[in-house]
Structure formats: structure tokens, C-alpha cells
């Protein structure tokens, strides 16, 4: 039978209580002061034991961890269903394709001859729903802070509100759409992220989010998760 940490703590406290009590009785005169000290000590010990019993009874720590784990696992499934539509236009490249959020797939994709220093843009109408869903995960009270921080780059406030694009984007950009069949090589109605970002940085931030998720799970597990991220 599995013994809880709280129960072990109670056994240790009771053992120490007996030792201290024996010492007090044997080394002190049994007078009013000694009896008072023993009463205060006994009261403190049993107050602590009651607190441990209540903590163990309601098991708040486990309940909170279970909630955290649930929301993290839901986030993993959500991210793994993400498909980036990629449209890149530079002086020498015209590319339209797709990419799943997967560490191996991203690593292999980054070996291609695309311009990964190209700045990214979004059509807000194509990505706002996805960004809002990410934001709901990010602000969930049970989402671990390190993971929430790693999601900021695709949160609801991640994109620049105005659709006007600076002139430097006109002939050199990578347009990102999300969970559409593919991107389209057009710049009308698009916005850049609030913090200007290269295509390479955007992919690396996704990889970092996956890394933070795996790190958190491994940190709270007795074995490596070996997730297919």
C-alpha cells in the first residue's frame, strides 16, 4: 500500500514529539512551568498534525497538478494539429507550401533553400481565430508560467493591428497562414507581427514552445516522456 508523504511526515513528527517529551520529563522538574511548556508543545504538535491530515485529505497539490497536466496535454494536441501555410516571395524565390508543427519536420524544412531571413506577415482574417485559441491556453490559470511565456509570440496580441505593410515587405516577405490548405502570394490586407520577426525566428519560437512543454512534463515525471513532438 502506498503511504503518502503527509502520513510519513506525521510519523516523523510523532517520533520526535515522543523523544522531546521524554527529554523534558527526564531533564526538568515536574512543576507548573514544565507542565505548561509540555501543554504548549503538545498543542503545537497536534495543530501541525491536523493541518497535515487536512492537506492530505483534500489533496490540493495533486488536484492542481492534474489540472495543469490536462491543459498542457490539450495544448500539445492543439499545436500538433497546426499546419502552417507558407507563401514566400523574394527576388529569386516564389514558393507556396505547407508545414506541420513537428520538430523533425521543421528541422528538415530549414535545410531547404528558402530565405529564412525573410520577414513574416499575416492576413489577420486567416490567423485571428488560431491566435485567439492560443491566447485562451496562454491565460488559462493552470497553464505553467514557462509554457505560457513561450506562447506569447502567437498570442492574440502578437500581430500588428494595422494592415499597411512597409515598402520593404513588398518584394520580400514570407506570408504565414494557419490551418488553411496553402498560403497565397498576396500582400493585400496583411499585417506584420507587432515585433518584426524573420521566418527563421518564427519557426524557432515554435520549437522553443515544444521544448518548454517537454521540459515541464519531464520535470514533473519520474521518467522521460519521449513525446512525439
Amino acid at each position: 500500500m502506498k503511504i503518502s508523504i503527509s502520513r510519513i511526515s506525521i510519523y516523523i513528527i510523532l517520533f520526535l514529539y515522543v523523544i522531546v517529551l521524554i527529554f523534558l520529563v527526564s531533564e526538568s522538574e515536574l512543576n507548573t512551568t514544565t507542565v505548561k511548556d509540555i501543554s504548549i508543545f503538545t498543542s503545537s504538535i497536534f495543530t501541525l498534525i491536523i493541518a497535515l491530515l487536512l492537506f492530505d485529505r483534500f489533496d490540493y497539490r495533486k488536484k492542481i497538478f492534474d489540472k495543469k497536466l490536462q491543459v498542457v496535454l490539450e495544448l500539445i494536441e492543439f499545436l500538433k494539429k497546426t499546419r502552417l501555410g507558407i507563401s514566400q516571395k523574394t527576388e529569386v524565390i516564389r514558393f507556396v507550401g505547407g508545414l506541420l508543427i513537428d520538430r523533425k519536420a521543421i528541422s528538415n524544412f530549414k535545410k531547404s533553400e528558402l530565405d529564412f531571413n525573410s520577414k513574416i506577415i499575416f492576413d489577420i482574417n486567416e490567423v485571428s481565430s488560431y491566435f485567439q485559441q492560443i491566447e485562451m491556453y496562454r491565460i488559462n490559470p493552470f497553464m505553467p508560467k514557462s509554457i505560457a511565456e513561450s506562447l506569447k509570440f502567437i498570442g492574440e496580441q502578437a500581430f500588428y493591428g494595422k494592415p499597411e505593410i512597409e515598402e520593404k515587405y513588398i518584394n520580400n516577405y514570407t506570408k504565414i497562414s494557419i490551418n488553411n490548405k496553402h498560403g497565397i502570394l498576396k500582400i493585400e490586407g496583411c499585417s506584420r507581427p507587432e515585433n518584426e520577426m524573420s521566418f527563421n525566428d518564427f519557426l524557432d519560437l515554435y520549437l522553443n514552445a515544444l521544448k518548454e512543454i517537454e521540459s515541464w512534463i519531464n520535470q514533473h515525471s519520474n521518467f522521460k516522456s519521449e513525446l512525439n513532438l
Side-chain angles (χ1 to χ4, degrees), residues 5-209:
I5 294 176
S6 295
R7 189 173 300 178
I8 293 173
S9 299
I10 290 171
Y11 292 153
I12 294 172
I13 290 170
L14 287 173
F15 175 77
L16 294 174
Y17 168 73
V18 172
I19 296 298
V20 173
L21 189 61
I22 292 172
F23 175 82
L24 287 174
V25 172
S26 62
E27 297 296 326
S28 305
E29 294 182 5
L30 195 57
N31 53 32
T32 304
T33 302
T34 303
V35 172
K36 182 180 178 180
D37 290 342
I38 291 173
S39 298
I40 293 173
F41 179 63
T42 301
S43 176
S44 299
I45 290 296
F46 280 95
T47 299
L48 178 58
I49 290 174
I50 290 171
L52 287 170
L53 286 172
L54 288 174
F55 180 82
D56 191 48
R57 176 185 174 189
F58 293 110
D59 211 3
Y60 289 128
R61 183 179 299 178
K62 183 178 184 303
K63 289 179 180 178
I64 291 174
F65 175 76
D66 287 345
K67 286 283 190 179
K68 285 187 174 184
L69 182 60
Q70 180 183 355
V71 73
V72 170
L73 294 178
E74 288 177 2
L75 173 64
I76 291 173
E77 292 183 357
F78 182 79
L79 289 177
K80 291 295 288 184
K81 292 177 182 176
T82 300
R83 184 183 186 278
L84 303 180
I86 300 163
S87 304
Q88 185 170 104
K89 177 185 177 183
T90 69
E91 293 181 359
V92 295
I93 296 174
R94 297 290 188 277
F95 173 85
V96 175
L99 177 64
L100 292 172
I101 298 304
D102 176 85
R103 285 189 296 199
K104 185 176 181 180
I106 292 175
S107 295
N108 289 335
F109 187 80
K110 289 177 72 171
K111 297 175 184 177
S112 67
E113 295 183 358
L114 295 180
D115 182 1
F116 290 94
N117 291 318
S118 173
K119 304 300 183 182
I120 62 171
I121 59 174
F122 303 103
D123 183 327
I124 294 178
N125 293 325
E126 293 177 352
V127 301
S128 60
S129 176
Y130 179 84
F131 282 175
Q132 288 168 10
Q133 288 176 285
I134 288 291
E135 188 71 4
M136 295 309 296
Y137 279 111
R138 197 181 69 79
I139 66 174
N140 188 300
F142 297 104
M143 181 62 70
K145 290 183 179 180
S146 60
I147 297 176
E149 187 69 21
S150 74
L151 296 174
K152 278 188 174 180
F153 78 105
I154 42 174
E156 190 173 4
Q157 303 302 320
F159 52 85
Y160 186 64
K162 297 180 180 180
E164 294 84 1
I165 297 295
E166 291 91 333
E167 185 176 349
K168 63 183 177 180
Y169 284 86
I170 300 301
N171 294 311
N172 192 319
Y173 63 85
T174 300
K175 180 188 170 187
I176 303 293
S177 59
I178 300 178
N179 294 336
N180 293 332
K181 289 184 178 180
H182 53 75
I184 301 174
L185 279 169
K186 69 172 186 177
I187 200 169
E188 293 80 8
C190 289
S191 301
R192 66 171 176 83
E194 184 176 11
N195 296 316
E196 191 175 69
M197 189 185 311
S198 70
F199 185 28
N200 185 70
D201 288 343
F202 183 68
L203 295 180
D204 281 347
L205 286 168
Y206 260 115
L207 291 175
N208 180 64

Side-chain angles (χ1 to χ4, degrees), residues 213-225:
I213 291 170
E214 185 174 57
S215 176
W216 183 86
I217 291 177
N218 287 336
Q219 183 181 349
H220 295 84
S221 175
N222 293 326
F223 55 89
K224 285 191 175 182
S225 57

